[in-house]
Amino acid sequence: MEANRIGRRTVLRTTGALAAATVVTGCGTLMGSSESRGSGGSKKRLVVSNSGGAYNDALTEAIYEPFAKETGITVTTVNYQSAQIIAQVKQGRPQVDLMDNTLLNFQKMAGLECLEPVDQDRLKSVKGAGIAEHNLPAHAVGKNVWASVMAYRTDSLKRAPKSWADFWNTHSFSGPRSLQSAEADLPELEFALLADGVPLDRLYPLDVDRAFASMSRIRGEVKKFWNTGALPAVLLGRKEVVMTSLWGGRADELIKQGQPVAYQWNGARRMTNGWGIPKGADNTDAAYQLIDFSLRPEVQAAFAKLSPTGGPVVPAATKLLSEDVLATLPTSPQNLKTGFDADAAWWDKNRDAVTKRWQEWADA
């Protein structure tokens, strides 16, 4: 879920290698000068890339500022897309020390040899913390979990939908719907398969043919395949649709406004944001210190209180949160039982082919 938003504390830098990023096939170390990079020296300034906006503000309050106070290392944030950093690494001149991005994007970057492998021995907060294995891949460290869920208008339906099968049931739950397009992020093939009876624990590898057949059955009731994160909440708030998929937190905003909206966690698709160190980064020592700091239970809990995308990866953090906060998080003990984690490796391998098929299907 990379974004082009810039928060009030975010410094946006430009790079002259953007075009090259789209055709990169690998990331060797091409040093442009005799300057020694990747030394990992203990410096007092750390440059971190994230998606900006409210997400950056929450990170700043919960992580960056307390980290700076404790260590004396100041954090400067920039808003780079992964393609930009790939181009920088290819030139041998990464402009950031640490990236905050999805594990799916890190899967791609690792395949291009653009990330440093993670040395978990340098992360005290990981040892014995109970972090799920899929959130600790070889070249990244999971930090916070967000999810796509089903939201609906309580004033438009006679009863609450409980599953994606209900979403697909246009007879008992009539009215226009909305689902995510491939333009926004991953198309929601998993929801189509769940609606068709595939169990949560047997989703992957995705049966793409079956998923598109299921999508075709509901297509006539889908008013809009949304292409921006804000759009489904707008459609729901204006009563243009009675049900929609949306990213976690968007429905909470409508509920706070007094809208007759609710959402449910059954079949929620979880995605993880985490940390990755670009190959050749200049300040790896400080990067590891920030990663380690962010995985402390109390820091995880502080971020969860500020961001709807802040589902902790450290189970102990949930014990520090109120029931009201836990109800909004995909990694609360209750919500973990009813959702599933997107398979980053499968999507990395199949995303281009699925996106192409989606576009052909949508245009037909």
Side-chain angles (χ1 to χ4, degrees):
M1 190 172 60
E2 286 188 304
N4 292 315
R5 297 166 297 139
I6 305 174
R8 56 187 170 84
R9 294 184 177 93
T10 306
V11 180
L12 179 62
R13 294 182 178 179
T14 58
T15 179
L18 301 186
T22 62
V23 295
V24 171
T25 59
C27 289
T29 303
L30 306 177
M31 301 303 293
S33 71
S34 59
E35 179 185 6
S36 175
R37 301 190 63 81
S39 62
S42 180
K43 299 182 180 180
K44 294 300 183 181
R45 178 173 173 267
L46 185 69
V47 182
V48 180
S49 175
N50 66 45
S51 60
Y55 182 68
N56 176 72
D57 292 342
L59 288 167
T60 299
E61 183 174 345
I63 301 176
Y64 302 153
E65 290 179 346
F67 172 76
K69 183 177 181 179
E70 177 175 301
T71 65
I73 301 171
T74 60
V75 178
T76 298
T77 58
V78 296
N79 180 220
Y80 285 146
Q81 298 289 298
S82 56
Q84 293 172 276
I85 298 177
I86 289 171
Q88 293 170 4
V89 173
K90 182 176 174 61
Q91 292 182 324
R93 306 178 68 85
Q95 300 301 303
V96 301
D97 303 304
L98 186 63
M99 295 176 62
D100 181 321
N101 213 314
T102 67
L103 294 192
L104 177 57
N105 282 324
F106 287 140
Q107 178 88 17
K108 176 181 179 180
M109 292 186 69
L112 296 174
E113 299 183 353
C114 292
L115 292 177
E116 299 283 354
V118 174
D119 182 358
Q120 291 190 15
D121 289 337
R122 300 176 70 174
L123 300 172
K124 296 180 181 179
S125 296
V126 169
K127 297 174 184 176
I131 300 173
E133 183 177 350
H134 64 267
N135 286 327
L136 293 173
H139 291 79
V141 180
K143 169 175 56 64
N144 60 284
V145 180
W146 51 279
S148 294
V149 300
M150 180 207 305
Y152 56 92
R153 289 194 66 95
T154 59
D155 60 345
S156 299
L157 300 172
K158 294 180 180 179
R159 58 189 175 93
K162 300 295 185 182
S163 66
W164 291 108
D166 287 346
F167 190 99
W168 256 248
N169 185 346
T170 59
H171 175 71
S172 299
F173 301 90
S174 61
R177 281 106 156 110
S178 183
L179 287 167
Q180 180 174 296
S181 77
E183 297 174 28
D185 200 11
L186 304 179
E188 295 164 333
L189 301 191
E190 294 96 336
F191 299 160
L193 290 170
L194 291 172
D196 202 44
V198 177
L200 280 173
D201 60 353
R202 297 182 64 183
L203 279 171
Y204 298 98
L206 300 183
D207 185 333
V208 177
D209 290 338
R210 183 174 177 179
F212 274 98
S214 179
M215 292 292 296
S216 293
R217 287 194 292 272
I218 201 177
R219 182 173 180 173
E221 300 297 325
V222 177
K223 178 175 182 176
K224 175 71 176 179
F225 287 100
W226 52 270
N227 55 9
T228 67
L231 183 54
V234 172
L235 295 173
L236 200 64
R238 292 177 178 172
K239 210 173 181 179
E240 294 184 34
V241 299
V242 299
M243 285 189 281
T244 185
S245 61
L246 44 59
W247 293 335
R250 301 285 185 174
D252 288 308
E253 295 172 9
L254 292 174
I255 293 169
K256 290 176 182 178
Q257 296 168 13
Q259 292 268 15
V261 168
Y263 63 99
Q264 59 86 39
W265 288 97
N266 189 24
R269 182 173 70 179
R270 295 188 292 263
M271 299 281 286
T272 302
N273 263 53
W275 302 113
I277 301 175
K279 188 174 182 179
D282 199 35
N283 196 3
T284 56
D285 282 350
Y288 271 104
Q289 288 182 63
L290 180 59
I291 295 170
D292 200 42
F293 181 88
S294 74
L295 295 176
R296 295 178 186 175
E298 65 274 17
V299 177
Q300 289 260 293
F303 183 63
K305 292 175 184 177
L306 295 172
S307 175
T309 64
V313 298
V314 177
T318 63
K319 299 178 181 179
L320 305 177
L321 297 168
S322 68
E323 290 299 321
D324 288 346
V325 173
L326 288 173
T328 68
L329 298 175
T331 55
S332 69
Q334 186 62 35
N335 293 336
L336 273 175
K337 299 176 183 178
T338 59
F340 65 93
D341 295 287
D343 188 326
W346 188 92
W347 274 110
D348 179 56
K349 181 179 179 180
N350 295 279
R351 183 173 189 170
D352 290 345
V354 169
T355 299
K356 182 177 183 294
R357 181 164 177 178
W358 172 275
Q359 291 169 341
E360 294 171 348
W361 176 83
D363 293 339

